[in-house]
Amino acid sequence: AQTVTQSQPEMSVQEAETVTLSCTYDTSESNYYLFWYKQPPSRQMILVIRQEAYKQQNATENRFSVNFQKAAKSFSLKISDSQLGDTAMYFCALVDGAGSYQLTFGKGTKLSVIP
Amino acid sequence: DVKVTQSSRYLVKRTGEKVFLECVQDMDHENMFWYRQDPGLGLRLIYFSYDVKMKEKGDIPEGYSVSREKKERFSLILESASTNQTSMYLCASSLRLRMTNTGELFFGEGSRLTVL
């Protein structure tokens, strides 16, 4: 069975600072995909960034980047130059590449950006 | 842009009532999902469907059923609502997941159900 663990239930960061959200996972598959989703207050969840396990290069999307450590099964999200609009729940998720339909989600990290 | 629309943002029902949560997507996605979101528990999959009239149980199907008569519509049914089903329900859709597919989910805004 796959598991995704987010060990930080809540975090806060000052506006314009950098923050890193942690995620560890476990899977027996060799090929899989990892995701960070963002759920702003009272708004729909959206994909922030994705990483394919067979790609060594860490994914980057504007101010969002990941630190993917495959051997350690770690997938952290770094948010640079934090903005008030980054305030949200962040979920780490995993799907194996063998045709599974089901994403496995972590329990989420509530991030507050403080002005 | 993909749009996933959930029919009701907020519902209040009484114990024992039958509850229908409707979800419609407009991007011809094969897969549709119903999740339940509770504080401290994250997202838990209730049911998913990979094609019309097809359904698979997720992690917590007890007390729920689903219907997918048309590709764009996926309904979650609570046959007899109970107080422990008070929760946020999220619908999502995606293209069929394959080795080369990224598996991105597109979510609706959620339906907050309160069962009294």
Side-chain angles (χ1 to χ4, degrees):
Chain A
Q2 300 171 336
T3 60
V4 176
T5 302
Q6 294 179 248
S7 58
Q8 305 150 315
E10 293 192 40
M11 295 186 72
S12 61
V13 62
Q14 291 290 139
E15 196 174 5
E17 297 294 308
T18 295
V19 64
T20 298
L21 281 59
S22 301
C23 173
T24 58
Y25 62 92
D26 192 25
T27 179
S28 58
E29 299 292 332
S30 58
N31 187 26
Y32 50 89
Y33 301 88
L34 291 158
F35 308 84
W36 279 98
Y37 280 86
K38 170 186 177 181
Q39 186 182 38
S42 301
R43 294 181 62 188
Q44 66 200 110
M45 194 172 310
I46 58 171
L47 179 67
V48 174
I49 199 164
R50 67 170 68 91
Q51 174 80 42
E52 296 164 72
Y54 63 87
K55 289 189 176 178
Q56 303 237 350
Q57 188 172 4
N58 288 328
T60 300
E61 289 285 343
N62 300 313
R63 297 182 295 107
F64 297 87
S65 62
V66 298
N67 183 6
F68 174 47
Q69 302 288 329
K70 191 171 184 177
K73 294 185 176 177
S74 171
F75 182 62
S76 60
L77 175 70
K78 186 172 83 170
I79 306 173
S80 303
D81 185 25
S82 297
Q83 300 175 0
L84 296 179
D86 296 333
T87 293
M89 284 289 293
Y90 287 83
F91 292 94
C92 180
L94 161 74
V95 66
D96 70 57
S100 171
Y101 298 108
Q102 184 170 345
L103 269 71
T104 301
F105 284 87
K107 294 183 178 181
T109 296
K110 184 177 181 180
L111 176 68
S112 298
V113 180
I114 302 165
Chain B
D1 283 348
V2 175
K3 188 157 187 181
V4 179
T5 303
Q6 295 184 228
S7 56
S8 303
R9 292 293 303 275
Y10 301 94
L11 303 94
V12 180
K13 298 291 182 180
R14 297 207 174 273
T15 301
E17 280 193 83
K18 190 169 186 176
V19 182
F20 291 88
L21 300 179
E22 303 284 340
C23 176
V24 177
Q25 51 95 2
D26 65 358
M27 282 301 290
D28 203 36
H29 283 172
E30 292 90 351
N31 300 329
M32 295 189 75
F33 306 81
W34 276 106
Y35 287 90
R36 173 174 171 162
Q37 182 179 7
D38 298 288
L41 296 179
L43 274 72
R44 294 179 291 169
L45 182 65
I46 304 172
Y47 268 97
F48 68 96
S49 169
Y50 52 88
D51 205 345
V52 175
K53 296 190 185 295
M54 305 303 290
K55 61 185 179 184
E56 293 283 343
K57 293 180 180 179
D59 299 320
I60 51 165
E62 296 78 18
Y64 303 94
S65 62
V66 291
S67 172
R68 193 165 180 201
E69 296 296 318
K70 294 185 177 181
K71 190 174 185 179
E72 67 271 18
R73 187 180 297 270
F74 192 36
S75 302
L76 180 69
I77 303 154
L78 288 68
E79 292 289 342
S80 178
S82 63
T83 55
N84 62 12
Q85 292 178 310
T86 291
S87 187
M88 171 69 85
Y89 291 88
L90 298 178
C91 176
S93 71
S94 75
L95 291 170
R96 190 179 300 284
L97 293 171
R98 288 185 289 270
M99 287 286 287
T100 56
N101 192 282
T102 60
E104 179 178 356
L105 290 179
F106 295 86
F107 285 87
E109 292 186 318
S111 298
R112 184 167 294 280
L113 173 66
T114 301
V115 182
L116 302 176

